Amino acid sequence: MTATTAAGNAHHAHARRARTGGPEDGSRLMEHIAGWAFVVVFAMLVTRLGLL
C-alpha cells in the first residue's frame, strides 16, 4: 500500500463517519411524534417514582 492509497482510504473512511443524518426520507413528522412520546413516557416515569 502506498502513501497515496492510505491517504485516499483514510479520507473515504472519514467521509463515511462524518455523515450522521441518514438518508433524507422526509419523515420529520414521525421523528417529532417519537420524540414527544419519549418525553411523555419519561415524565410519567419521573412522576411515578416520585423524583419530582
Side-chain angles (χ1 to χ4, degrees), residues 10-34:
H11 174 70
H12 289 295
H14 177 61
R16 279 193 301 258
R17 283 194 313 258
R19 185 172 169 236
T20 60
E24 287 295 324
D25 56 357
S27 67
R28 288 253 188 233
L29 179 64
M30 284 305 295
E31 194 173 325
H32 285 289
I33 291 171

Side-chain angles (χ1 to χ4, degrees), residues 22-47:
E24 287 295 324
D25 56 357
S27 67
R28 288 253 188 233
L29 179 64
M30 284 305 295
E31 194 173 325
H32 285 289
I33 291 171
W36 280 108
F38 173 74
V39 168
V40 169
V41 168
F42 183 73
M44 288 179 357
L45 177 69
V46 167
T47 55

